[in-house]
Amino acid sequence: MKKLACVLALAGAFASTNALAWGGDGHRAVGAIADKLLKGTNAQKQIAALLLPGETLESIANWADCVKGTYCGPQSQEMIDYTTGNPKHSEYHYTDVPFQLERYHDHGVGTSEVDIVQTLKQCIAVLQGKTDPALNPHKFTKRQALILLTHMTGDIHQPLHVGAAFVSKDGKFVVPKTHAEVDETAIFDSRGGNNLLLDDQKLTELSAGLIPPGEPKPIREGVPKALTKPFHSYWDSTTVDYAFRRVQTKTPEQFAQFAIDSKPAIKANSGDPATWPYQWADDALVVSKFAYADVVPGKITAQTSKKGETYYTFALEVPANYPVPSSQIAKEQLIKGGYKLAEVLKAIYG
């Protein structure tokens, strides 16, 4: 199979918290799907009591990314209060379980006490009215819990927000037994794929087959061939764009309506809703295996940053048709995220 050469830059200056999972449109689509599914239910009434006039799940879906301060303009006092009270809030959005594993386990490699699974558990407990401080160490209010649940349910269905890649010195994907083994000497952390750099122009050209008839092709003349995009950012934004195009929609609202009309077969969760984040994480690990399918790291190369720091790159190859399966995965995961958000809110409020 023809391959597309890429670069994996393992510079310590980067982190997976720098990206917007599913981008703005993807998160709004997840919220919009849930809004539609909850219409006329008791859950909708209870949710409305926590929202401000005019707010919907769609409109608050990006709040947890906006509080990072670089995406949505000036911070509101509510955002400032939240970030002050939650200094590790950027870590709530993901976990870093090796993608080869089958399950998320508490205290397992790549997990943390403030990762996305633990954060979602707390949000669900708060909305269920549970007041045990051990269940809510961050002291989320019910409004904060709803806002975070809306966003993080989208995040956990982005496969790279759960399944992480670790690379050995000889250029192979490996599974560290403990996080202490990830020493950036023998085993390297791809940091959620943020350091996997793709040839964005080439991927754009390869995506031409996803564009509906009659629409302009997104080939950008004059763009340098060396233009790159982090693998994580590709999954956050480009796959969402391609997913919308696959079904000939341009807005989150249109995508949400497509999702509802398509009547997808979404497997229901079981047991206490507090356990559902574990089930979602396990499902994301399954999907992440497809995200990394036929992706092959190569020889390690030492590089020097502008600050004089040493970091490492791996030549990486992905299939030339990668936009096709990745956009299909994104479409399915966005729809699943919207349905799961509605499902958990119905379970909480009836």
Side-chain angles (χ1 to χ4, degrees), residues 33 247 255-266 331 335 339:
I33 291 169
V247 298
F255 184 87
Q257 191 59 55
F258 163 83
I260 302 297
D261 292 343
S262 67
K263 296 179 170 55
I266 306 294
K331 183 191 79 171
I335 293 173
Y339 271 78

Side-chain angles (χ1 to χ4, degrees), residues 15-85:
S16 59
T17 56
N18 291 335
L20 287 164
W22 291 136
D25 282 349
H27 276 294
R28 290 183 71 94
V30 169
I33 291 169
D35 282 330
K36 291 178 181 294
L37 293 172
L38 294 172
K39 189 174 182 179
T41 66
N42 181 59
Q44 183 189 35
K45 295 178 182 178
Q46 298 298 322
I47 291 165
L50 297 174
L51 298 178
L52 301 177
E55 286 184 332
T56 62
L57 296 179
E58 178 185 354
S59 70
I60 66 168
N62 286 298
W63 192 95
D65 276 337
C66 290
V67 299
K68 296 174 184 177
T70 56
Y71 310 111
C72 312
Q75 300 287 283
S76 67
Q77 188 60 51
E78 181 182 30
M79 291 176 172
I80 294 171
D81 292 342
Y82 168 76
T83 55
T84 300

Side-chain angles (χ1 to χ4, degrees), residues 151-168:
H151 183 85
M152 304 304 175
T153 302
D155 274 352
I156 203 169
H157 285 87
Q158 204 273 50
L160 270 62
H161 271 243
V162 177
F166 298 89
V167 188
S168 66

Side-chain angles (χ1 to χ4, degrees), residues 25 28-29 32 58 244 248-257:
D25 282 349
R28 290 183 71 94
E58 178 185 354
F244 277 34
Q248 300 186 45
T249 59
K250 295 183 178 180
T251 68
E253 167 65 25
Q254 291 173 354
F255 184 87
Q257 191 59 55

